[in-house]
Structures are given as C-alpha cells and as structure tokens.
Amino acid sequence: EIHTNEKEVTEKEVTLHLLPGEQLLCEASTVLKYVQEDSCQRGIYGKLVCTDFKIAFLGDDESALDSDETQFKNKIIGENDITLHCVDQIYGVFDEKKKTLFGQLKKYPEKLIIHCKDLRVFHFCLRYTKEEEVKRIVSGIVHHTLATKRLKRLFLFSYATAVHSNTPTNPKNHTVMFDTLEDWCWELERTKGSMKYKAVSVNEGYKVCERLPAYFVVPAPLPEESVSRFQGHGIPIWCWSYHNGCALLKMSALPKEQDDGILQTHKNFLDGIYRVIHRPPYEIVKTEDLSSNFLSLPDIQTAYSKFKQLFLIDNSTEFWDTDIKWFSLLESSSWLDIIRRCLKKAIEVIECLDAQNTSVLLVEENASDLCCLVSSLVQVMMDPHCRTRAGFQSLVQKEWVAGGHCFLDRCNHLRQSDKEEVPVFLLFLDCVWQLVHQHPPAFEFTETYLTVLSDSLYIPIFSTFFFNSPHQKEMNLGREGQDAHSTPLHLLTVWDWSVQFESRAQALLQNPLYVEKPKLDKGQRKGTHLKHQRQLSLPLTQSKSSPKRGFFREETDHLIKNLLGKRISKLINYSDELQDSFREFYDSWHSKPADYHGLLLPHIEGPEIRVWAQRYLRWIPEAQILGGGAVAMTSRLVGMMEEVRSLQEKINERHHHQTALPAEAPSLLRSSARLSSLFPFALLQRHSSKPVLPTSGWKALGDEEDLARREDEFVDLGEV
Amino acid sequence: MELGLSFSVSSSSSHYPLTSPSLHCLPTQALSSPQPLISVSPESECRPPKVAAELTPDPRVGEAWGITLHPSQLSGPQSVQGSGMPEPRSPQLGSCLASGCLPGEQILAWAPGVRKGLEPELPGTLICTNLRVTFQPCGWQRRQETPLSSDYDFALVNIGQLEAVSSLSRVQLHRPGSLLKFIPEEILIHGRDFRLLRVGFEAGGLEPQAFQVTMAIVQARAQSSQTQQYSGITLSKAGQSSGSRKSPIPLLETPEDWETERKKQGANSWRVSLVNERFDVATSLPRYFWVPNRTLDSEVRRAFGHFHQGRGPRLSWHHPGGSDLLRCGGFYTASDPNKEDIRSVESMLQAGHSDVVLVDTMDELPSLADVQLAHLRLRALCLPDSSVSEDKWLSALEGTRWLDYVRSCLRKASDISVLVTSRVRSVVLQERGDRDFNGLLSSLVQLLSAPEARTLLGFQSLVQREWVAAGHPFLTRLGVTGVSEKAPVFLLFLDCVWQLLQQFPAEFEFSEFFLLALHDSVRVPDTLTFLRDNPWERGKQSGQFNSYTQVYTPGYSHPPAGNSINSQLSVWDWDLRYSNEQILQFHNPGYDPEHCQDSWLPRQQPSFMVRGPPSSVWLFSRGALTALNQLCPWRDSPCLLTVSSRWLPRPAISSESLADQEWGLPSHWGACPLPAGLLLPGYLGPQIRLWRRCYLRGRPEVQRGLSAPTITGLQDELSRLQELIKKWTPRTSPEDRSQKGDPNPILSQSR
C-alpha cells in the first residue's frame, strides 16, 4: 500500500512562476509525485501543470525549498520543472503495465512516468485526481510535448516577444559569436592564419548558400566565384591554424551524381581547388573523409539510446537487477567505444598537423556533424585558448552554431523526425569531459559546467541551440512578416550564464585549479617565431617525413621496435604504417610530462574511457556518497584557498589580527556539513520527510561553546 | 655441498657461510667493503642453516643455496674472465654490485642491460641473486639506510612469469628444465604484484651473459619455491645504526601495547587476557587479546575450547558510542559443553549488551577459492599481452568477478558499520576460521566508522592488529608455501581500501602511494610481518620467546643475545625500502585533518545510539536481521553456522542497504545527518573502479602514460598537486610565515 506523508494542504497555494510570455495550458490537482518508486512508496501531493514552456509539479512543501538560498539553483528550471523539449518519453501505467504514450489516447493511465533527456525520471500518480483533470492533463502533456511543432511556435519566440519591450542589457561576455566579419578576422589574427587565409563576405545575406554562415574563411587565393559555383560545396573552409602554419580545413562534399559529365566537372573543379591549396605557401593537405571509415550517425544514435537506458531507472529493484551486469551492459551499448573512436580520430588529425606538418581537410556530406565534432575536439586538444571558458564558448559558437550544426533536427526539438535525432553535440561534450576528467588542471571550466551546458540544450529561451543554421535564425528573427517598424527580436544566448545561475552558483562552473598561461617574455616569443619561420621556409618535400627518421640505423631500430612493440601489446591493433606513426606519436606524447598550456592528448585505452558520472548518475539516489567523491577534494581545496586568503588579509591588517574573524562561507562548497558526491545536483533531489533530530539531544554533550558550534553545524545540515 | 658458488664480498679472505640466510652471523663491515673480491667458496661452514631447523627436513636443503647449474652457464668469476668481459668495467661493476648486496646474499649472474618500458630508458645491470632479481641503474648507489629498493627489486617469489624475447621468437620460461634455445634480446619479468621489469640486452659481445642471467633467474626462482627456504632476511639494521630501535607502530607483542590500545579505544569493560601467553589456547591467536572484564581466564580457556581452532570471541573494536565489535571462529559443534560453559560463551558474546547481532561473515561473500580464481583472472587480464581487445575490455573485467567481490565486501562492511553505529549492541563477526574475512570486515568497519583508523598511524596499527596479530595466514594465502589454500584476501582488502580512498579523497591521511607500497610489501622478503602464518611462528623465528623455549622443538637454536623484541624489524619500517622522499608521499595532500581531531569523541551522537529491546539476539544475513532464539547452537539443533552459507546474489527485495532501513530513504541522505565520522561507501557498478595504478602497471602503453601508473609517476602527480596547493600560499616574507605559523600542516610536512 501507499504510504504518504499526508500533510494538510497549506492555505497558501503554491504559486506557479511563469516566465514572460509563458501561458498555462492545463492543470490537475491532487497529483501524487513519488519520491521513490519501490516497495515503500512515498510521495508528495501537489498540482501538475503544463504550460507552453514546461511541465511543472507544484508540491506542497516547495515553499521550504524556496527559502533555501544556498542551493545551486537554476533560476529558469526549478527542481520539479521539465521543459517540453526536455521530455524524452512518456509512459502510462495501465493496470500495472507500462506503455508508451503518444498520439490520441483512448484510455487514461493511473500513473504517468516521464523520462527526461537530462535523465531525470518522474512518477506521477493520478489515482486521486478527478477523471476529467486526468484526461486534460495527460492529453495536454502528450500533445504539447510529442506532437510535431512549427518552428515559429517555439517558446523562444513568445519569450522574446514578451521581453522585447524591456530588453535586458546583455552583459558583455567575452564569447566571440562569429556573426560578423570582424570576429573571423580576429580569430585569424589570433591563430596567425591571416597570411594564408582570408575572411570572405561572399555569402552576406545568404546569397550563395543557406547552410553556410554569412562570413567565413577560405584560402586567400581562392577566387570568390568558385565559392558560389556549387553553393559552397567542394570548397575548403578554414577552421583553425596551428602555430606551425598548418591548418584544419573542412569541406562539404559535392553532391553525388550519376552523370559522367557532371562528375567530370566536379573533378575538374576539385582539381582546381586542390591545386590552389597544395601550392606553397600551403602545406601538403591530407584529406580525411569522415563519411566513410568513421562513425555513422545511426551508430551514435543506437549507442546513445542503449546507453541512456542504463540510467533511466524506473525503480530501484530494476536498478539492482542490472547493476550486477553493469560492465557488460555498458560495453554492449558501445557508447564508450564511440567516444574512444572520436578521440582517436582527433589524435590522428593532430598527428598530421603536429608531427607531419600537413594540413588536414575534413570532408563530410554537409560538414556539419562529425566535422564539427572532430574539428572542435582537435582545437580543444591543441589550442589552450579553447580550454578557457570564453575560448570554449567561442569554439562552440564557431564550429557548431556558425558551422551550421542542425541543433533543431539533432535534438529533435520540433518532434519532426526521430531518425534525425542524434546526440552529436552531447557526444562532443562527453569527449571533452573525458579530457577534463583526465587533465583537470588544464581546463578553466569544470565538469559541472559541461553538465549544465548539456542541460541547456533543452531550454527554449536561448537561441543558441534552437536553430539549424545562422540563416534559419536570421530568417526567423522577424524581419519578414512583421511590422516594418519593429526591431528584430532579441534572443538570449546560453553563454549569458547569469540568466540561469546566481553568481554564487556560477562559481561552481569555474575550475579553482586552473592557472592561466604565464605570459611569455619577449625573447621567448621571438624564439618561437623564428622557429615558425624556419618551418615555413622548408621545402615541402622534406616536411613530409619527420626529421626523426633519416638515418638507416635508426630506421631499422625503429622497425624492430615496432615489431617488438606490436607483439608485446596487442591491445591496440594496428596494421599499416600510418597507424604506427600514430602510435609513436601517441606514446611519445604520453611519455613526457604534460604541458597544460600546450598540446593535450587524452588516454584512449580500454580502461581509461569512463562514464560521465556526474551527468548520468546524478539523479540516482543510490549513487550518492555522502562526504565523498571528487567534490570532497574540491571543497577541501577551495577551503584551503579561503584559508590562505583570510590569512593574507590578516597579515595585511596586522593591527586587527587579535580579533579573529570567523571564517565566512562565501562559496557553496564551503560548509561544515559533508557534501554528497552528487553535489551540486543531489540537493535538488531532496524531499525531507525524515524527522529532524531533536536539538535536546545535543545538550548532554560538551560545554557551551562546543554546543554553539555544533548547533551551527546542525543548522547547516538542515539547510545545505 | 657441490658446486657452491657464491659471490661473497669481503676484504679479508674469510668465506661467508653460504647456507646462512641470517644476518647475525655476518660481519657488517663487509657491506661497505671498498674492494670486494669475487671468489668461489668451495665449502661452506658447518653451521646448520637455521631454516632447516624449523621447516620439514628436506634432503635438498643442504644444496639449497648452492647452484645446480652447469658451471659453464654461470657467470662466476671465471666465466667473467672467460667471456672476455671488458677489463675496465670490472672494478666499477664490482663495487656497484657489492654495495647492493645483502648479508647472505649471493650474486648468481648478472648482465648489463637497459631497462625499458619506463621513460627514460635506464642503462644498468640486471643481477640475479639467491633472494631477488634486481636492476641496478648505472651510477645508482643503494644507500646504506635503504638496503632494499622498491623500484628496482623483484623478490624471487614475486616473479609470476618470465619471458625471453628475441627478434625471432618469444618464449615463456616456467620450469627450471625449460631450456632457452636462443640468446634473449630482452627479458620481461612479470611480478605477481602486477609490476613489470623489462630489460633489453645490448648487442656487442655480451650475449652469453644475457643468456646466463636469464637461466639463473629461472633456476633461482625454481629453487626458492621448491625448497621453501623462505626465511625472511632479518636485517640487523637496528644493530648497525641506532642500537635498539623502536618499532614505528606498536607491534602488539606485549601486554602493554594491548593495554594502551584498549585505553585509547575507551573500552572500559574489557581487559587484556594473558591466557594465551604460551600459545596453549590456540597457536593462531595472538598472545594477548581483549575479553570482557567480568570473565575469568579459566572461563575464557574453557569457552574458547568450544570454538573452531580455539578462536573464541574477542573484542576487535570498541565504538565510542558504546557498541562493541567482536570476532570469533565458528562454534565447534562436536564439543559437548556443560551449562556453565554455555553461559560463559553467551556472556562473552553478549559482552554486557542486551542486544547481540551475530554476523555470518561468509554470507554473501566469495569463498577463498573464488577470490583466488578472480585474482588469477585479473592478473591474466592485466598482463600486457592479454588478448582482450579494447572494446571487450569491460566485459572481460566483469568476467574476472574481482570487482564484484570488492563490491560485496564493501556492501557488507557498510551494513555492519550501520549495525555498530545505530544502536548500542554487541556485533559478533563469526567466520569458521576467523582468520580471513573476519579481519577484512572488521578492518573495513573500523575504517568506515573510526576516523582514527584513517590516519597513517591508525591504519598501520589496524593492519597489525586485525591481520598480523590476529593470525591471518599470509604465507599460505599468498601461495608462498605452496599449500593449496591460496587466496589473496589481504590484497582484496587493500583494493577495498583503495575504493574508499577514491570515494572519500579527503578523509584518509594516507595516499594511494602508501597502499601501493603496502601492496608491494606482501612478497618482499625483508621482514617477517607478512611471511608467517600466525603470531606463534613469527615470534619463533624472530626469537622473542627466549624464556619459552620449552614450547618449541628442542632443535631450535637460541638466537644471539641482544636480538630483543625491539630490534625486530617489521614491514612498518618503511625506510628499509623507501627513501625519505617516497615516505613523504605516503601522506595524502588532500586529507582534511579536521576529520580526525579531538572532535571525534564528543561527536558521537547518542541520539543515534538507541538501546535495543531487552535481550534480543539477531542474526544478520542477506542484508536483513532475523531474530534468533539462542546464541549458541548446542541447546538444540539446527545450528546456524554449521550450515555453510554459499555466496549468492542478494534477493532483489532486500537489495537496499541496511543504511536505508535504519535511516530512512536513500534519497533523504542529503538531509539526514549521518553520524559524524561514519562513511557509507558507494558500491554500485559505476562506483567500483579498477585500481589501475596497481593492476595495469605492467602494461607498456600504460607504463608510458603520464597518469602515473608507476610509483614514480604517482610521485610526480602528487608533487604536482602539492605545487598547485602551494600556489595559494600567500607570498609573504619568511618572518611573516614564521610568525603566523604555517596555515597548512600537510604542506609543512611535505616541505
């Protein structure tokens, strides 16, 4: 039977917080939300509402949580809020049987189970709800979340229209948006690529192509008319330049044709292009075709849908059943293997750029999925700037948003086609997480940053992830179809973190261990510059082979070593010369101490690729370790920083040093209570129905002072 | 003794007794001899080898230290000359080798080589002695204080697999008979402790030496296991340097040690019993242990007789909240105790509490054979040439079941900690033998619930008490004796501790490096700590029972006077094998000392300590408590613990841990104030990890990796972390710092 903490419904009705432009669509009262779905079922009564932005549950004891200021709280999405885009699957329970809900319903379930894309699972019991309310809420939720939508009906637009009058002043953040020519020129300057590449405005107003951004960068001698020849297909587009002058380029493949004539023109066109970029001062270009011999999008889709199922747990019994086979289940999803392959591909590209001094041209059908993934991974590993927060955000802006990754389709925001829903961006974040996990001091951001970024994919007030291309965004910003006098809508960007988090909570996105790159003095900089020049002046033929292998003796040594190495380690099976050079590069990098401000490679062996525990396990209460996890170490470090800071202050004002100020707790991490390993997410999970410890119990112990201290602790326990 | 070849180092013409493994008969100045001679000693002294006295007489003992290799295969002095060894290298090499030689150690063969796999590649010499295989890098000098090296030494027993590689073939050398048919270009020594030593031999005339050293290793290894002459080298370091040396931690070999420990725990209703002082209650028990105040020694003696191997209930740990954790062997059901005996057994189990929980230790835990099998599989998986492809790695790992066993130990320990902490009661761990999993669980429970045990000192005392003194049969379990009951229970325990270290990085004073050091110590023949099966044998060897010789075999010869208990070295004398810099790395820089301060005692929360219902007796099994009618099985059958429980997956319904039952929903853990100091570990699939730095050390590609699979790598990482912490220390003038004191004790330690 169901045990509930039957509380009297408080007089004060919990109010629904609506965002500007948000409309209430339907609601149902006396819905029971299970706290945990297992043998001892407990829950909270409340109201279930559905708006055009979210599904929200208004529990009776939510007021208690609201008063709690110390939480890592999202200002937009509450603990019991699910944005409509975040809903993954809806199940109804009919007579103990679980069925997927979609389309028109004939029967209404007694229980509603909602699986979210951020891996939360909600159980709502409708048994005590009026029948018509059940009908309304269930069909409302099913319709508004699962039915196909038109782009214009996205909440994004109602929100933007509503806040239009009082546009918030967008605080300057340092993210480069790559929507102006200057941004591209700036990036060219930064990477010293401006000698060989130029930013072009040939696509201004999207005259040439709707896939490409208005401005982009191509090799300098490339005539502009060839850009428009095949609507931007078949031309190399610059992504990034390495300091040795090699560049990472991408190209969307020319459409496949049957006609020999057209094929011949294609061939001639491409030959022309290659002639341009193969000639000095350009390095040899190696073409990396990502459409073949690499992951396919359906692979990624299947793997992820298997993988996420491991964490979408309906009840703990089910959880324990699968737990025993954890590793084989994990393996059979092959999600980790896909991550490994992505990382490996990125390392292969890096090997060309770094060790072989060749440029790399990534080719994909539209250059907007795996191209984005590989090129941004390469940049994260090679360019320390991309490991800062601003740099990472600019990178996402450059490669994914401006690069035309179809977020709308890949996230299936409009519910148009499940086939198109492939978590490519999530895969990228997971790959970056592996890097963050393996080399934490190299990144300015934390894994929490990556987790909240992944959650932001489903919040439809930010424009960043809700368009397929810059062109689509521009077209829908209201110039056409709107009154002439109205200015274009102002859309928020996800990089404005203050929209979601208070500054105290934002501190958790910042890695305290990150140290900025020490400034090089002039002499050093000159040195690297000179070396740079020398490499540029080398004849092309020599740059093909690395200077390491020249003499016969070394060559044979190398061969023997390889033979031996191959026999010794069968772990990574490589057959051809290419793979050997990859392995050599990989091994030699890992045998040296890492420079956190230089090239950074991940480990990709079997045991090294891990599950992004914070994202995937955070809603599973069983996975909580109180007082443990990486959080314990971080909070310890933060605590020490505090200590040092306060000591410094004390030293500065010596005359005050007698009156020792009690250490304040400026950070969320700084508290005397033990934090859970799921921090900062576990706190959102809490529903206290546990009787609080009677304070009288403390009285027996210790003296007054001790008592006061402990009572402080007690308060902390309650609040934190 | 035929063909007794030895490499003895001496400035005089005296010969060393080849057969004596003991140090005491050796002049110590031999070690620092400036000009060692390489000589063949044709005869050995007549002193009988000590080992022979206590081990089963073996006809081979006489030649145990001799070499049965064909003379031409040996790189003795003649062969050095004969093989055209470059003349200038000899003296240099001689002194190099000599400096590393232990008393009684003979160099069997050596060859110049290059250590590979680890960066940078080190040129040096590979030496095989009768005790170990060691690699001496060029120019590296063993320091007098650390005669053994954790980096370069491989004890012979530690050699799990030996491979010789040439450009054409690659063979494994198992038995002494296996003949190497080619000159090896490289040999790979895989340690049972997962280490890998990879030495490549240079071309250029020295190939025969490479061959000889390889064969010598094969021989020496076979001999060391065949003759079981594993004695432990009792180093007289203490005699050399500081006279009487105090053990870094109490070895619990005197009643005073036990009394001090008892007082520290605040176990006021307990006393130290001397009943087993002469090991006549049980040889596997320590000489002293704790029994309830009110129990007389005669009662103890009688009651213990009704337990398997005389291992009756003793106190393991007293919870400051009042609970007691006891351990005992299984009931000896064949005995027919009288009423009084039953009463004293019961009162000893109750220990003054009305609430008694009997924990069936073996329930839900793997059997010894399971553990051994899992460990073998794990080792096979972690071998560098395991044929498992990367994408099948995880299921192969699962297939070893090792992590599964780690998980079940953690789960059980977590449950027992909850039992001990939640109510004032007596919790009795009962395992038939009381020498394996009882120690594992009781140690884990203490680590989880006593912050003291998480300090460096506390942990070592814990291992000394619950494993060494309590008579865990290390020698048998680690397979040194060749008896069939092999099972690395202690290594399983270390893995569990490592998991805790991972999960609670700020709660432990010791570091992963320390655990690794302990892991590597179990097979190192320098001290007796892990080289005996029980306290009796250990004491016998170290000769501490001078006044009790009547207990022992008459043939036992008295050790020289002055070899007092104090001079006995234990594994806790880390400076034997680790340099000071390495020992500093034993400290976890992330440890928050706040977790273990004097706040520990007042922090106990009596509100958690609810008194149980009067005279209730429970059995804890399958994650649930069942009421029992009686404590002892003799009044009427069936008895609970005679039925051996098998390891089975827990039924799904009770899969929730006991913590949830005691403290409410797991989702409330965030809000529920767990008693301070109590840690509840996670034991879900994703939370149990592979101890990569330990198990994957032997893989070339991991060895090359930066993320510290080796001890040196780990050191780098630790120092990097410390570097980062240092960055936050205020840039103040030194006098400022001295006035203010260092804000961080850990940092000051590491400076």
Side-chain angles (χ1 to χ4, degrees), chain A residues 323 328 331 590 623 629 644 654, chain B residues 395 398 407 503 687 728 736:
Chain A
D323 196 46
S328 37
E331 185 182 277
H590 278 296
V644 166
R654 281 213 186 178
Chain B
S395 53
E398 185 181 88
R407 176 225 300 261
Q503 295 186 9
Q687 289 167 331
W728 294 319
D736 273 349

Side-chain angles (χ1 to χ4, degrees), chain B residues 264-320:
Chain B
K264 213 196 277 172
Q265 292 189 4
N268 292 326
S269 53
W270 297 81
R271 65 177 180 88
V272 180
S273 166
L274 308 182
V275 68
N276 196 34
E277 195 154 31
R278 296 185 173 208
F279 293 107
D280 47 355
V281 173
T283 47
S284 71
L285 281 180
R287 297 166 81 189
Y288 312 101
F289 43 78
W290 297 315
V291 296
N293 260 342
R294 288 171 298 179
T295 323
L296 299 173
D297 271 355
S298 56
E299 287 178 298
V300 172
R301 188 180 291 272
R302 282 211 314 278
F304 273 37
H306 302 298
F307 286 88
H308 185 73
Q309 290 182 343
R311 295 179 69 93
R314 293 147 293 132
L315 175 69
S316 263
W317 179 60
H318 176 78
H319 189 281

Side-chain angles (χ1 to χ4, degrees), chain A residues 136-399:
Chain A
R136 229 181 301 138
I137 195 82
V138 173
S139 51
I141 286 175
V142 169
H143 175 75
H144 291 291
T145 54
L146 302 180
T148 309
K149 246 189 215 136
R150 288 209 339 268
L151 177 62
K152 270 298 196 181
R153 298 294 304 270
L154 280 179
F155 179 69
L156 188 67
F157 296 104
S158 1
Y159 183 77
T161 317
V163 292
H164 192 53
S165 47
N166 50 349
T167 308
T169 48
N170 193 8
K172 260 280 167 258
N173 59 40
H174 302 288
T175 310
V176 185
M177 304 302 278
F178 291 97
D179 50 1
T180 62
L181 198 61
E182 291 76 50
D183 287 352
W184 287 101
C185 293
W186 180 87
E187 178 78 355
L188 270 176
E189 279 306 313
R190 188 182 73 80
T191 59
K192 301 193 175 60
S194 49
M195 286 167 65
K196 305 177 197 166
Y197 299 93
K198 61 170 183 198
V200 290
S201 53
V202 59
N203 197 28
E204 213 161 27
Y206 306 97
K207 288 173 297 215
V208 173
C209 167
E210 296 181 355
R211 273 182 316 104
L212 288 172
Y215 312 98
F216 50 89
V217 176
V218 292
L222 194 79
E224 291 201 356
E225 59 269 19
S226 45
V227 174
S228 40
R229 176 95 182 268
F230 291 100
Q231 292 83 44
H233 286 285
I235 53 154
I237 295 174
W238 175 87
C239 295
W240 180 73
S241 284
Y242 192 41
H243 60 61
N244 66 4
C246 299
L248 183 62
L249 306 164
K250 63 180 172 184
M251 175 196 274
S252 58
L254 287 167
K256 289 202 176 67
E257 294 286 346
Q258 299 297 320
D259 188 347
D260 284 347
I262 300 174
L263 277 178
Q264 193 55 45
T265 22
H266 280 179
K267 197 171 170 294
N268 293 342
F269 176 73
L270 283 180
D271 284 349
I273 296 286
Y274 282 127
R275 231 171 290 132
V276 169
I277 57 171
H278 270 105
R279 202 184 308 149
Y282 297 101
E283 286 75 17
I284 286 187
V285 174
K286 188 173 175 266
T287 309
E288 189 81 60
D289 190 358
L290 297 178
S291 315
S292 59
N293 298 326
F294 193 47
L295 297 170
S296 72
L297 292 182
D299 285 348
I300 301 174
Q301 188 186 37
T302 343
Y304 185 70
S305 59
K306 268 196 213 162
F307 177 71
K308 74 178 177 197
Q309 225 50 52
L310 296 175
F311 307 97
L312 289 167
I313 291 145
D314 279 342
N315 56 56
S316 18
T317 319
E318 191 182 301
F319 182 77
W320 288 110
D321 287 347
T322 55
D323 196 46
I324 203 90
K325 288 172 290 180
W326 162 254
F327 282 118
S328 37
L329 285 171
L330 185 63
E331 185 182 277
S332 69
S333 80
S334 75
W335 177 250
L336 296 188
D337 197 44
I338 283 178
I339 292 172
R340 188 197 343 272
R341 288 173 66 186
C342 292
L343 291 172
K344 197 177 147 209
K345 180 60 85 183
I347 298 172
E348 281 168 17
V349 171
I350 290 170
E351 198 254 334
C352 296
L353 289 168
D354 183 72
Q356 300 184 11
N357 283 322
T358 50
S359 293
V360 177
L361 176 66
L362 304 171
V363 181
E364 202 192 359
E365 194 191 336
N366 276 321
S368 64
D369 286 304
L370 297 171
C371 258
C372 303
L373 178 81
V374 173
S375 84
S376 31
L377 272 180
V378 167
Q379 291 175 55
V380 168
M381 294 183 205
M382 294 186 93
D383 188 349
H385 174 71
C386 296
R387 291 173 229 145
T388 64
R389 248 169 86 175
F392 184 74
Q393 295 177 170
S394 309
L395 176 72
V396 173
Q397 216 39 61
K398 178 173 80 170
E399 293 299 331

